[in-house]
Amino acid sequence: MKTVQEIIESGILEEYVLGVLSDAENQEVESYMQQYPEIKQEVSEIQEILYQYSLQYQQSPRPELKNEILAQIEARNESLPVQEPSKSIPFMAYTGILLGIILSLTFAILWQNEIKNTKKLQLQLQNAKNEHNTCENAYKELKKAHDELIINDKNCHIMAKLKDEKANTCIATIYWSHLTKQTYYKIEQMPKLPENKVCRLWCISNKTPIDAGLLKNTDQGLKVVEPKCDNIEAFAVTIEDKAGENRTAPPRPDEIFIYTPVHKE
Amino acid sequence: MLSETEIIERLKVQDRSVISYLYDHYSTALYGVIVHIVQDTNLAEEVLQETFIKIWQNADVYDAQKGRLYTWMLNIARNLAIDATRGKNYKKSKKNQSFENNVNHLENKNVHHIPVEEIGVKDLVNQLDVTYKMIIEKVYFEGYTLADAAEALNIPLGTLKTRLRTALQLLRKKV
């Protein structure tokens, strides 16, 4: 263990001030400085004498240099916020900052939960869609099988084919099933209609036309003709204005597009 | 007159006015040392600029326990100037300067400089034996290691260390 005097006389303090020591030696001297006020004083005096020695060389730089250097420092700080040195941050500002942090954290947590919930719901929705698609496909299959069963049944017969004579196409086929005691229609090929027109099916029973609803391109497979009518003599299709979809009036002669009597068995 | 503590506080909070204050009070000392080391006023101006930028940016690093603020600033200037002399371009232009030239340069240096008002600095330097001055110059202003300085001055390392300490002791007695 070196004494203070030994340390001072070793010359290590001069070497420290001159900057020629290794990092480990520098740390050693700095720990002496913390431990012994005399060593700190000695180092301070050596620093002072070298500063005084340096002053022999002092000379003024050209006067413009000051502003150039200050401008350089200013330019480097443009992106940094300017801080007022003597002003302390008021209590309200601290409270505001704290409140801001708490609110931000709360929102962040809520937002995280929201994202989690949204993802969960999206997953559930996707599962439901998949299930729906599966069911829809199963329904289509069943419907197809059901329709085939009715049509192919020996107790089912075609009541009428609603033909567009001009275009030489069949709009729909009407079936009667003894099995189910139902009248069905099946869309074959709908005529091309203007935007403002629709097709309507009529059952003529006891010379009275009964509204059986609109025929649509989207109708798939067998559709039950409603309302249920007995003694149907003929079917008619009208092309009428879209605006009158919920009509109650009987068809006018100029609206009748097809009129087909029922085939007798 | 600001105290060192005030200067440091203001530096640490990036109060720009303090850099102007430091320039007014220390640029002469720092610039003088830099010119003395790099021997080129244009390069010295660049180094002085770097010095103030470093002081501005590194105020957090300054540790009052290790020394006074002006000795910290002097060390920054000195180290940057020594680094500048080690640059490629500098070596090309200065490498032919001989040791003897440096001695003459040393002896005649004060002639061109502004009068020193501080307590007897000029006298104390002039009174110091050139042998001692050379050691301080080599180590403190030219950045030589002790071993390199001993080799350059053609003396044993132990002798160099003793003389270095003696030189500083003598200066202290004279101040």
Side-chain angles (χ1 to χ4, degrees):
Chain A
M1 184 79 183
K2 287 178 185 172
T3 65
V4 170
Q5 200 53 36
E6 280 170 343
I7 295 166
I8 290 172
E9 284 173 4
S10 72
I12 195 172
L13 304 183
E14 283 81 4
E15 290 167 30
Y16 171 76
V17 177
L18 288 164
V20 292
L21 296 179
S22 65
D23 288 347
E25 289 168 323
N26 280 330
Q27 280 176 6
E28 186 189 337
V29 173
E30 281 157 13
S31 86
Y32 291 149
M33 284 163 72
Q34 281 181 344
Q35 254 179 295
Y36 310 111
E38 308 95 302
I39 290 186
K40 194 179 168 190
Q41 178 62 28
E42 186 78 8
V43 166
S44 175
E45 282 177 23
I46 301 166
Q47 285 174 332
E48 179 68 26
I49 199 65
L50 278 166
Y51 181 74
Q52 291 295 331
Y53 181 91
S54 304
L55 289 177
Q56 66 175 306
Y57 301 122
Q58 66 179 320
Q59 61 174 298
S60 297
R62 61 184 169 87
E64 305 81 25
L65 189 62
K66 180 183 173 182
N67 284 337
E68 290 172 24
I69 290 177
L70 292 181
Q72 270 293 321
I73 289 173
E74 194 69 31
R76 281 167 189 249
N77 278 280
E78 265 173 6
S79 56
L80 295 172
V82 181
Q83 291 181 33
E84 292 297 330
S86 54
K87 285 183 188 168
S88 57
I89 302 173
F91 173 74
M92 284 302 284
Y94 273 126
T95 315
I97 292 165
L98 198 63
L99 203 62
I101 292 168
I102 292 168
L103 280 174
S104 305
L105 283 173
T106 312
F107 276 121
I109 292 165
L110 287 175
W111 183 244
Q112 279 295 321
N113 284 342
E114 195 63 26
I115 290 171
K116 273 185 198 166
N117 284 341
T118 310
K119 281 186 179 167
K120 202 174 160 187
L121 284 174
Q122 277 174 342
L123 198 67
Q124 283 177 344
L125 183 66
Q126 190 55 47
N127 287 342
K129 273 183 184 173
N130 292 345
E131 255 175 63
H132 170 79
N133 286 341
T134 313
C135 287
E136 201 170 52
N137 288 338
Y139 170 76
K140 277 181 189 170
E141 290 296 316
L142 278 172
K143 175 84 171 75
K144 200 177 163 191
H146 166 263
D147 290 355
E148 281 174 5
L149 202 66
I150 289 172
I151 291 170
N152 297 331
D153 180 64
K154 60 177 183 186
N155 293 316
C156 179
H157 74 272
I158 293 171
M159 286 177 82
K161 279 189 177 282
L162 309 180
K163 287 182 181 168
D164 176 359
E165 299 293 345
K166 261 190 196 171
N168 196 26
T169 53
C170 179
I171 294 177
T173 308
I174 312 284
Y175 298 90
W176 166 255
S177 168
H178 285 286
L179 197 70
T180 60
K181 307 289 181 205
Q182 294 269 25
T183 310
Y184 299 93
Y185 70 92
K186 186 180 176 225
I187 299 292
E188 308 285 352
Q189 189 178 348
M190 286 288 286
K192 282 181 185 168
L193 296 173
E195 278 288 306
N196 59 341
K197 297 286 184 185
V198 287
C199 264
R200 188 182 297 276
L201 177 68
W202 299 86
C203 302
I204 317 295
S205 174
N206 299 323
K207 296 184 180 170
T208 308
I210 297 160
D211 181 0
L214 297 177
L215 298 178
K216 293 174 188 166
N217 255 330
T218 49
D219 292 339
Q220 288 184 345
L222 283 182
K223 298 272 288 182
V224 175
V225 175
E226 287 176 322
K228 201 169 182 178
C229 312
D230 295 324
N231 305 320
I232 297 173
E233 300 148 9
F235 291 94
V237 174
T238 51
I239 292 178
E240 56 190 67
D241 289 339
K242 203 173 193 176
E245 273 181 31
N246 300 317
R247 70 185 294 166
T248 49
R252 297 192 309 271
D254 62 293
E255 292 174 327
I256 295 172
F257 176 52
I258 294 168
Y259 181 89
T260 308
V262 169
H263 292 296
K264 298 293 174 194
E265 278 183 88
Chain B
M1 189 79 185
L2 290 172
S3 73
E4 278 202 358
T5 319
E6 282 174 310
I7 294 172
I8 293 152
E9 282 307 310
R10 288 169 68 170
L11 268 179
K12 286 182 178 173
V13 295
Q14 302 273 282
D15 173 2
R16 289 169 211 176
S17 68
V18 81
I19 210 81
S20 172
Y21 176 89
L22 286 176
Y23 192 94
D24 292 341
H25 287 80
Y26 296 101
S27 63
T28 322
L30 301 179
Y31 183 67
V33 167
I34 295 166
V35 172
H36 174 60
I37 295 170
V38 303
Q39 298 293 310
D40 178 318
T41 51
N42 288 332
L43 183 56
E45 286 186 1
E46 280 176 34
V47 174
L48 185 67
Q49 180 172 298
E50 278 179 61
T51 303
F52 275 101
I53 288 171
K54 205 160 183 181
I55 291 167
W56 176 244
Q57 289 177 336
N58 292 354
D60 282 346
V61 178
Y62 170 70
D63 181 354
Q65 294 303 312
K66 293 182 188 173
R68 304 284 299 273
L69 180 68
Y70 57 73
T71 58
W72 176 69
M73 294 195 297
L74 178 64
N75 277 340
I76 290 176
R78 196 168 58 87
N79 290 332
L80 286 173
I82 292 168
D83 285 348
T85 64
R86 289 171 180 162
K88 267 185 189 172
N89 295 337
Y90 184 88
K91 277 183 180 166
K92 264 186 201 166
S93 64
K94 306 282 178 186
K95 69 178 178 185
N96 294 326
Q97 265 187 320
S98 69
F99 183 63
E100 286 72 24
N101 284 344
N102 278 338
V103 176
N104 293 334
H105 162 73
L106 238 172
E107 296 303 305
N108 299 325
K109 191 160 283 288
N110 295 337
V111 179
H112 309 291
H113 296 154
I114 59 165
V116 176
E117 288 163 6
E118 276 71 13
I119 38 139
V121 172
K122 194 175 174 182
D123 285 343
L124 82 89
V125 172
N126 284 340
Q127 283 170 24
L128 195 66
D129 191 290
V130 71
T131 321
Y132 295 130
K133 272 202 273 187
M134 283 308 304
I135 296 171
I136 294 174
E137 289 294 326
K138 280 279 155 215
V139 177
Y140 196 58
F141 294 113
E142 292 180 46
Y144 277 54
T145 63
L146 295 184
D148 288 347
E151 197 185 331
L153 298 171
N154 202 21
I155 50 172
L157 181 59
T159 310
L160 181 112
K161 281 188 177 183
T162 313
R163 284 187 190 170
L164 185 60
R165 182 164 153 69
T166 311
L168 291 171
Q169 293 285 330
L170 285 169
L171 284 171
R172 283 168 78 178
K173 276 181 194 159
K174 288 175 195 290
V175 167

